[in-house]
Amino acid sequence: STDLTSTVGYDSIIQHLNDGRKNCKEFEDFLKERAIIEEKYGKELINLSKKKPCGQTELNTLKRSLDVFKQQIDNVGQGHIQLAQTLREEAKKMEDFREKQKLHRKKIELIMEAIHKNRNLQYKKTMEVKQSCCCFLALLHQGSPLPLFSSPFLQLFLKLAQTKSALEDSDRSYQQNVTILEKICEEWQKEHIKACEFFETQECERINYFRNALWLHVNQLSQDCVQNDEKYEEIRKSLEKCSIEKDVDFFVNLRRTGSSAPAPVVYENYYNTQKNASAVRSPAPVPISRRGPLPTPTSAPGEPDYATVDGYSLV
């Protein structure tokens, strides 16, 4: 600014730096809120996997698949809790970075505040001395024609002599103050340039740190998705080992009561007690043959078919 005492440019820079610090604080708060959500979601998943029954009476391979399913859901919940902790750590790093910049910038701001104050005081003092010189000069040029050696003329002559002497002193003081002000302004300009360079460096560091923090945050979310997919892949692998025939055979073998049908009921003649009477015999029991092949399960319209891990999809 052409106004020597103006700080409009400097104030604009400080305002921009404060806005940048505020933006960092907003991202920091965003990470903290996301951490709360992730932690709550993780705990809910863990509680769901531990407390909610899910096929608890299943047997054999399908039971193992369901056990893996619940265990991996628990692992997903643990992963979200770990992600919440990671987000809190990143928020703390952002806070430390923000406070460090604030502390460093405060030192420069105190220097600039002091030099602005010194410059403005010297400028004000210089202008006051200048004004005093102008007043003395105006008095020096005042006067009216009076008779020579008259009493009023002598008084005016003495007054003018005093004013001239005061004017010379004031002018010297004015010159000295201008010289001092010039030196202060040179110092101020140097410090102002140094401050601007420091602020520019800080702003570059802030933008770079902010960009990297956001990039890292997105990578963490992507990594969490990859880890979750690995857990879900374990469920799919377990489901691949789920065998309908094995589970049915397992149940049959577990609950089997024998391989023969119950013995037939034989008629005994208690009414005819003749010795020659023979009891009516039933035909010999027929052994039970092995059951036929298991029926092939069919999917209802709109129901996803069973898929393998390789190239799995919902058809």
Side-chain angles (χ1 to χ4, degrees), residues 67-83:
D67 290 342
V68 173
F69 166 71
K70 295 192 69 176
Q71 180 59 49
Q72 293 305 325
I73 292 299
D74 184 276
N75 291 341
V76 170
Q78 296 289 353
H80 281 282
I81 293 177
Q82 181 59 42
L83 176 60

Side-chain angles (χ1 to χ4, degrees), residues 133 136-137 140 162-172:
C133 288
F136 284 133
L137 188 61
L140 187 62
Q162 294 174 355
T163 301
K164 183 177 180 181
S165 176
L167 176 60
E168 291 175 351
D169 293 339
S170 180
D171 183 67
R172 282 193 299 269

Side-chain angles (χ1 to χ4, degrees), residues 95-288:
E95 180 183 5
D96 293 341
F97 172 79
R98 181 170 52 83
E99 291 300 322
K100 182 180 69 174
Q101 277 209 331
K102 176 185 176 182
L103 182 63
H104 291 172
R105 187 166 70 244
K106 189 65 177 177
K107 298 176 182 178
I108 303 298
E109 289 179 3
L110 290 175
I111 294 174
M112 293 302 297
E113 182 180 349
I115 202 168
H116 283 161
K117 183 178 181 180
N118 188 28
R119 179 200 62 185
N120 293 345
L121 288 175
Q122 184 61 36
Y123 178 78
K124 181 180 179 182
K125 182 178 179 180
T126 302
M127 291 301 101
E128 289 175 351
V129 175
K130 178 181 179 181
Q131 185 66 27
S132 176
C133 288
C134 293
C135 291
F136 284 133
L137 188 61
L139 288 174
L140 187 62
H141 288 84
Q142 285 181 357
S144 58
L146 293 172
L148 191 60
F149 302 119
S150 64
S151 178
F153 179 80
L154 291 176
Q155 293 177 359
L156 180 60
F157 181 79
L158 292 175
K159 184 178 180 181
L160 289 176
Q162 294 174 355
T163 301
K164 183 177 180 181
S165 176
L167 176 60
E168 291 175 351
D169 293 339
S170 180
D171 183 67
R172 282 193 299 269
S173 177
Y174 176 43
Q175 291 179 5
Q176 291 175 355
N177 278 277
V178 168
T179 301
I180 295 173
L181 179 61
E182 183 178 0
K183 293 181 179 179
I184 292 176
C185 286
E186 289 179 359
E187 182 183 1
W188 159 68
Q189 288 180 355
K190 291 179 182 178
E191 291 297 330
H192 183 80
I193 292 173
K194 287 169 60 178
C196 288
E197 291 174 348
F198 175 81
F199 293 151
E200 182 176 1
T201 300
Q202 270 207 333
E203 180 65 3
C204 292
E205 290 177 351
R206 187 192 67 83
I207 294 174
N208 182 65
Y209 190 90
F210 201 156
R211 182 192 62 178
N212 291 344
L214 188 57
W215 190 294
L216 178 62
H217 175 61
V218 174
N219 284 348
Q220 289 167 345
L221 298 181
S222 297
Q223 181 65 26
D224 183 63
C225 291
V226 172
Q227 291 175 351
N228 286 344
D229 189 67
E230 291 175 354
K231 297 177 179 68
Y232 299 142
E233 182 72 7
E234 292 298 319
I235 300 173
R236 289 189 289 267
K237 289 180 179 179
S238 176
L239 288 172
E240 275 192 325
K241 298 177 182 179
C242 177
S243 169
I244 299 174
E245 183 176 358
K246 289 181 180 179
D247 284 4
V248 173
D249 287 342
F250 181 84
F251 171 75
V252 171
N253 293 329
L254 180 67
R255 302 298 183 184
R256 69 187 304 167
T257 56
S259 59
S260 301
V265 178
V266 179
Y267 171 74
E268 298 183 11
N269 188 351
Y270 294 101
Y271 177 73
N272 187 357
T273 58
Q274 296 180 359
K275 295 181 179 180
N276 295 332
S278 60
V280 179
R281 294 185 178 181
S282 299
V286 180
I288 298 176

